[in-house]
Amino acid sequence: RGAGKGGQVLRGGLHCLGASALVPCGRQQATAWGLMSEGPISTICVLGFPAEAHPRELKNLCRFTPGFEGAHVSFSGPARSSSALFIKFRTYDQALAAMDSINGAPFDVEVPGVVLKAEFARREMEVRHAGAALPAAPPPPNGQRAPPRNVVPPPPQFRGFSEEPRKRPVERPPPPPQDHYRAAPPPPPQLSPAAAKRLRGGPELDTITILAVREKNLSQDYLHDWFSQRHGFVALHINDRINAVFAKFSSCSAAESALRAANANNFGAEWARRNLDL
């Protein structure tokens, strides 16, 4: 449809006069245009917004104006910038009062040279409120009863647990008694062969021996001189058949002291199985 000379066709089929139609005519022609249609128009068209204006700012421009019912922003151009704002009011007088307050006022106070221009739209804008009733549903076929609309279904009913047999718990052996975790008693002290023989009721050992004397490069003269310097030394005997020497002392304690000294020199001495007979 044409919009007349100097008119502008906007999205949604709404029409508004161009800016040139408002400048010479003012309120009288705008009022006449609002009464020319089949009935009084209560929708106005606002032009003159800057390209950077946000659509939400435009929709809230007349939100608190008396009689405000809704707003619609129309876009145009490749950049989809806001070109016009359509505002629907409850009555013609409320729309006319809002148009008087908007017409000639700057949208941005920092740019007072750019002012808004308001006029009546060519036809009324339809506003659907949030609580508007939905269209009636068609009747169900074959006389069936239609289910109620906008009814929340009931929650699912609890039908109990499944009848599957429960698994028997795994039987575990009982924990061992607390005595099982007690520390083992300490081992008995190690006794020297001489002390062990004394505990068994036999005579005390007073003889020590050194085996493999040739492999250890220990001569008879060297060993005789070394043992003769030990306290309680009695005699030294060489047994070539078993490659060993035996040193006899006057007491078990003297033999044990010589045993420690010999092992300190890496002789490898040890207790003899029996005492040396002289």
Side-chain angles (χ1 to χ4, degrees), residues 70-185:
H72 172 73
V73 180
S74 179
F75 300 91
S76 65
R80 301 289 296 168
S81 60
S82 304
S83 61
L85 171 66
F86 292 92
I87 309 171
K88 174 69 170 62
F89 293 91
R90 191 174 299 109
T91 64
Y92 165 82
D93 294 334
Q94 292 171 339
L96 186 61
M99 188 173 60
D100 289 341
S101 63
I102 294 174
N103 211 356
F107 178 76
D108 190 350
V109 295
E110 296 182 359
V111 188
V114 180
V115 297
L116 300 177
K117 302 175 181 62
E119 61 184 11
F120 280 102
R122 289 283 186 97
R123 66 180 181 88
E124 204 72 270
M125 185 179 74
E126 296 180 1
V127 178
R128 175 173 291 182
H129 300 283
L134 298 176
N142 301 330
Q144 297 179 1
R145 186 177 180 181
R149 305 181 67 185
N150 299 332
V151 177
V152 179
Q157 297 181 357
F158 177 72
R159 301 182 181 276
F161 298 99
S162 61
E163 299 297 333
E164 297 181 1
R166 297 182 180 178
K167 296 181 180 180
R168 297 184 59 186
V170 180
E171 296 182 0
R172 298 180 180 179
Q178 295 296 328
D179 295 343
H180 176 76
Y181 297 99
R182 292 181 181 177

Side-chain angles (χ1 to χ4, degrees), residues 38-72:
E38 298 178 355
I41 297 292
S42 60
T43 302
I44 65 174
C45 175
V46 184
L47 304 172
F49 296 103
E52 65 273 10
H54 197 275
R56 187 171 62 179
E57 297 176 335
L58 275 60
K59 287 185 177 182
N60 293 325
L61 181 64
C62 296
R63 179 183 173 188
F64 299 103
T65 304
F68 174 80
E69 289 189 347
H72 172 73

Side-chain angles (χ1 to χ4, degrees), residues 232-276:
F233 175 73
V234 175
L236 182 71
H237 175 70
I238 299 290
N239 190 334
D240 294 331
R241 183 175 61 85
I242 61 175
N243 189 22
V245 297
F246 295 89
K248 183 178 179 59
F249 291 87
S250 59
S251 64
C252 177
S253 59
E256 188 172 3
S257 177
L259 177 68
R260 295 195 189 96
N263 289 331
N265 288 340
N266 297 324
F267 288 172
E270 58 185 61
W271 288 99
R273 293 188 176 182
R274 59 185 181 86
N275 291 330
L276 180 65

